Amino acid sequence: MTMLFGIPLPALLGQLLIGFINGSFYALLSLGLAVIFGLLRVINFAHGAQYMLGAFTAYLLLFYTGLGFWPALIVAPLMVAAISALIERTMLSRLYDLDHLYGLLFTFGLALIIEGTFRWYYGAAGQPYAGPALLSGGTNLGFMFLPNYRGFVVVASIVICLSVWLLIEKTRLGAYLRAATENPQLVQAFGVNVPLLLTLTYALGAGLAGLAGVLAAPIYQVSPLMGSNLIIIVFAVVVIGGMGSIGGAIVTGYVLGILEGLTKVFYPEASNIVVFVIMAIVLMLRPAGLFGKEI
Amino acid sequence: MRIVFNREASVKVAALATGIAAGAIGWAVPAVSQEISDDVVKIGIMNDRSGVYADAGGEGSVVAARLAVEDFGGTVLGAPVEIVAADHQNKADIGSNVARQWYDEDKVDAIMDLPTSSVALAVQSLSREKKKITIVSGGGSAEISGSQCSPYGFQWAYDTRALSRGTAGALVRGGDDTWFFLTADYAFGDSLQSQATAVIEANGGKVLGAVRHPLSTSDFSSFILQAQSSGAKVIGLANAGLDTSNAVKAANEFGLTEAGQKMASLLLTLSDAHSLGTEGAQGLYLTAGWYWDQDDENREFAKRYMERHGKMPDMLHVGVYSAVLQYLKAIKAAGTDETEAVARKLHEMPVEDLFAKKGRVLENGRMVYDMYLFQVKSPDESSGEWDLYKQVETIPGDKAYATVAESGCDVSSFPKN
């Protein structure tokens, strides 16, 4: 059998694929975070809570209305986006003129409240959520057994990431958005409703977190803590990619997923910190991040 | 660079927010008895009421303690019995502070439950100083009745040694003799793995490998692939809580159990199994000392508990029930609530209740009773959301638990009666 670094090649390929799957979640989450930071300059600490809300909404929809995975994939992110839009309009938008620290503190407090509430009602152990029957089972790829659902997650994540990137970088709406954050007064003078744009942006970012949550629900336990376990890593991904760089967040998400996957083979104890070690090195060599512009 | 600074600030906020000290509730009761200090027997139930172990203890343990008081009759030697509760937030310093306040100001006579071994050890050592009784049922470290034992400290429901002896011993003897461990990378995981390894090797089995994963890992698929390619017959989970649930889910997803490998959890609570459901946890082996559906007596208790609390009781909850009941019986037998006398009775008296059918307490405070190897049912076998386990075999108490000599407890340092 072919060996690479003392590990059989098929096993290594399997681990690379697993890393890519995890990278899909990092990419989806850091994408939303980068959209919100890039366009609103808000460090959205509630992102993990919004991810958890997405998963819980899917679970609650199934439990109370019988709505399955596919409808939930559309409905749950929209609900998370709507709740987040309400929060942005009534509370967060008042903090835009203040230092970034206030936005961070607000969203952090919000995350604690949301997670605490769910923990009170549902406990820490989490709830099971069955994936779609259509994607149950798996496919033998020769080098590993790939559960069909995980394959779907990879494809879905790539499609979503590309669409959002195209939306912001290549469409007229995206151009308005970018202009509105560059110079709000000027854009407003052209007759564009800037506050509405900002609300929509926050809702989009939060909706993406909710979507990632629904995608994660069949794989992980739907638990109040699922977001807080992930959020710090996702922040590191955004910092490495370059705060505000949307393409950077996506690429970095996938790359770090793979690097973390390899760490799990060669030195599993370090798999939780490898992302932060990379972050420290990147910050020392390129303080603006890999894809960020120096300000 | 700014984000780094900001995160630091947010950590301070988090520390502030979580730094709220826990308080105990208590009220005065009129004087009635002479043998009982302060004319009331106060039992403090200290556990995690809001964090990761809240389902395994929390309010459920308080409900169980109250049921025990009711079953005993509400009074002992003419004095009322009162249950107070506090949240130690899994932090040893908070636990010690609450215990100090309970002993010094609130006249608490004994502290029970105490999950999270670090907190249990801190409170037990403080109680030894203060000459007060602790009965640990939530905390699982074998140290509690081992090298850090106390003459007034008791350990009731289980310990890590019994769990690993139970699960690993029974499976290896049944022919499942090659193992691969997924181990949480901290003291608890290490001790579970090393104790289980000793048992496996003593029974002629072999450990083919282990991965040590960081605490609170959400994705186990990489580790599951490694376990799969090891070819081991059993994948042993030396972790707890969400880590166990996520590992089991990933194993099912990647077809590990379908391909004939067995999963064995060295610590699984009923609430973990319930949250995974039979679909997710089926086939999993585990050791426990009590299960609600074992006999009529258990079922009847579970029904009463369910009516109060809305959930099924787990080994840990019923352990608290048994501990409270036995403590009250000991006070009655001693004719006083004075610590030395009650501790002597607790060491002497057999334990006969719905939790421990034939229990006895060793010199080091370890309560020894029969444990059981269970397997989680498949969805076809299960007839309801709580119909989760089937009993595979009984592990006699003296096979499951260590002797006083093996435990490493220096009983010669205890005060002589």
Side-chain angles (χ1 to χ4, degrees):
Chain A
M1 197 184 279
T2 328
M3 303 282 274
L4 203 63
F5 309 118
I7 292 192
L9 193 58
L12 200 61
L13 278 175
Q15 295 294 348
L16 282 176
L17 186 58
I18 297 265
F20 196 66
I21 297 169
N22 286 340
S24 303
F25 282 107
Y26 292 161
L28 267 181
L29 281 167
S30 53
L31 171 66
L33 213 51
V35 167
I36 292 173
F37 183 77
L39 303 177
L40 306 184
R41 301 284 145 182
V42 168
I43 300 164
N44 185 29
F45 246 97
H47 215 67
Q50 283 153 345
Y51 162 80
M52 179 272 286
L53 270 183
F56 255 102
T57 310
Y59 165 78
L60 293 173
L61 281 173
L62 182 68
F63 195 77
Y64 287 110
T65 68
L67 217 56
F69 175 79
W70 298 110
L73 198 56
I74 312 281
V75 177
L78 286 178
M79 287 172 77
V80 174
I83 296 167
S84 306
L86 192 72
I87 289 168
E88 193 273 348
R89 208 74 303 270
T90 52
M91 295 179 258
L92 186 60
S93 60
R94 295 163 197 272
L95 304 175
Y96 288 157
D97 295 334
L98 300 172
D99 190 276
H100 294 339
L101 189 61
Y102 289 87
L104 181 149
L105 285 178
F106 169 73
T107 51
F108 186 67
L110 192 67
L112 289 181
I113 292 170
I114 297 175
E115 285 174 356
T117 310
F118 274 81
R119 200 146 76 171
W120 177 258
Y121 280 107
Y122 296 100
Q127 314 289 331
Y129 183 82
L134 184 66
L135 296 172
S136 63
T139 313
N140 195 340
L141 300 180
F143 59 88
M144 75 172 280
F145 176 89
L146 177 70
N148 292 337
Y149 183 78
R150 299 231 180 195
F152 163 75
V153 167
V154 173
V155 176
S157 135
I158 293 175
V159 170
I160 295 160
C161 287
L162 266 180
S163 325
V164 173
W165 183 77
L166 285 173
L167 173 78
I168 288 172
E169 301 288 339
K170 303 289 169 195
T171 66
R172 181 168 283 268
L173 179 67
Y176 280 148
L177 274 175
R178 283 176 288 137
T181 49
E182 259 336 282
N183 192 336
Q185 284 85 9
L186 194 63
V187 178
Q188 189 114 36
F190 280 121
V192 175
N193 186 343
V194 172
L196 178 69
L197 270 186
L198 298 183
T199 306
L200 285 177
T201 308
Y202 189 72
L204 170 70
L208 282 170
L211 183 65
V214 183
L215 285 172
I219 299 186
Y220 309 127
Q221 280 292 84
V222 178
S223 141
L225 301 175
M226 65 191 289
S228 52
N229 288 347
L230 213 56
I231 184 71
I232 298 297
I233 294 187
V234 175
F235 263 108
V237 170
V238 175
V239 172
I240 296 169
M243 295 294 292
S245 162
I246 290 163
I250 299 173
V251 174
T252 317
Y254 285 110
V255 170
L256 285 181
I258 291 172
L259 283 177
E260 195 192 52
L262 290 178
T263 316
K264 283 180 177 173
V265 184
F266 292 109
Y267 189 45
E269 289 91 331
S271 59
N272 263 20
I273 56 158
V274 63
V275 171
F276 303 105
V277 173
I278 296 171
M279 180 177 86
I281 296 171
V282 167
L283 283 178
M284 276 193 288
L285 301 179
R286 277 185 66 98
L290 292 178
F291 298 86
K293 293 187 210 81
E294 303 278 350
I295 303 165
Chain B
M1 291 303 280
R2 176 155 222 166
I3 177 87
V4 176
F5 163 74
N6 284 347
R7 192 178 292 143
E8 252 173 33
S10 70
V11 167
K12 278 183 199 154
V13 175
L16 258 178
T18 50
I20 305 158
I25 323 145
W27 57 88
V29 179
V32 262
S33 146
Q34 292 179 343
E35 301 87 354
I36 300 294
S37 57
D38 317 307
D39 299 318
V40 58
V41 171
K42 251 193 208 181
I43 302 170
I45 304 296
M46 190 193 292
N47 58 26
D48 177 5
R49 294 174 65 82
S50 54
V52 282
Y53 301 128
D55 295 337
E59 179 63 18
S61 295
V62 179
V63 171
R66 296 225 159 92
L67 284 171
V69 174
E70 279 169 34
D71 288 356
F72 191 77
T75 58
V76 58
L77 301 179
V81 182
E82 199 183 304
I83 302 289
V84 293
D87 188 350
H88 63 38
Q89 300 172 30
N90 300 319
K91 296 189 178 90
D93 54 335
I94 294 183
S96 302
N97 283 340
V98 172
R100 212 178 288 276
Q101 190 198 328
W102 268 357
Y103 290 146
D104 293 348
E105 288 164 33
D106 299 334
K107 318 284 184 223
V108 167
D109 297 293
I111 299 183
M112 302 191 191
D113 202 4
L114 294 166
T116 313
S117 298
S118 52
V119 189
L121 287 167
V123 173
Q124 181 172 283
S125 124
L126 174 82
S127 306
R128 180 177 190 169
E129 242 170 67
K130 299 249 173 211
K131 270 185 93 176
K132 298 280 185 182
I133 286 176
T134 50
I135 307 185
V136 177
S137 59
S141 167
E143 298 276 288
I144 294 168
S145 56
S147 59
Q148 301 196 46
C149 62
S150 150
Y152 317 119
F154 298 84
Q155 193 174 19
W156 222 250
Y158 77 107
D159 61 33
T160 51
R161 188 157 16 203
L163 294 186
S164 46
R165 279 190 182 188
T167 308
L171 285 172
V172 173
R173 282 193 296 276
D176 295 309
D177 52 359
T178 51
W179 283 61
F180 187 93
F181 282 104
L182 300 187
T183 305
D185 189 22
Y186 68 119
F188 166 80
D190 275 356
S191 74
L192 271 180
Q193 188 193 324
S194 65
Q195 281 158 4
T197 302
V199 177
I200 292 164
E201 284 167 357
N203 283 287
K206 208 174 155 213
V207 176
L208 300 181
V211 224
R212 293 149 61 93
H213 66 77
L215 185 62
S216 299
T217 295
S218 51
D219 189 78
F220 277 82
S221 42
S222 168
F223 306 131
I224 291 295
L225 281 195
Q226 296 178 43
Q228 200 166 23
S229 58
S230 74
K233 288 182 191 165
V234 184
I235 315 301
L237 301 175
N239 49 22
L242 260 189
D243 282 342
T244 306
S245 305
N246 278 328
V248 171
K249 278 194 110 166
N252 281 339
E253 203 187 349
F254 282 86
L256 208 86
T257 31
E258 273 167 49
Q261 278 173 306
K262 287 182 180 168
M263 298 284 288
S265 171
L266 296 180
L267 175 59
L268 189 84
T269 64
L270 191 70
S271 68
D272 292 333
H274 181 249
S275 81
L276 275 167
T278 47
E279 186 70 51
Q282 57 178 307
L284 192 62
Y285 287 92
L286 67 132
T287 298
W290 193 89
Y291 173 58
W292 69 272
D293 204 13
Q294 279 176 302
D295 59 31
D296 286 340
E297 196 183 16
N298 291 11
R299 279 187 285 272
E300 197 202 335
F301 177 80
K303 197 167 151 249
R304 285 171 62 206
Y305 181 92
M306 187 89 176
E307 278 162 9
R308 302 269 179 107
H309 193 50
K311 292 173 184 166
M312 278 294 174
D314 190 17
M315 163 178 74
L316 302 177
H317 303 125
V318 193
V320 172
Y321 170 90
S322 169
V324 170
L325 201 60
Q326 190 72 7
Y327 175 66
L328 295 176
K329 285 178 187 169
I331 291 179
K332 194 176 169 192
T336 168
D337 68 349
E338 190 270 318
T339 299
E340 294 270 1
V342 177
R344 202 175 307 129
K345 284 290 168 203
L346 279 171
H347 279 117
E348 283 168 17
M349 288 165 46
V351 186
E352 286 280 358
D353 54 30
L354 64 95
F355 178 71
K357 319 267 158 156
K358 283 193 304 270
R360 62 198 166 83
V361 177
L362 303 182
E363 252 183 300
N364 59 357
R366 174 69 255 172
M367 197 273 277
V368 171
Y369 70 116
D370 292 352
M371 304 289 282
Y372 307 91
L373 182 71
F374 292 107
Q375 189 181 20
V376 178
K377 289 183 172 176
S378 71
D380 295 337
E381 292 168 316
S382 166
S383 62
E385 62 165 330
W386 291 102
D387 184 15
L388 291 165
Y389 298 168
K390 59 185 173 197
Q391 193 171 318
V392 180
E393 92 176 54
T394 304
I395 306 146
D398 44 7
K399 282 243 165 57
Y401 290 100
T403 61
V404 177
E406 285 171 325
S407 76
C409 171
D410 180 15
V411 286
S412 63
S413 70
F414 289 0
K416 296 284 172 297
N417 300 320

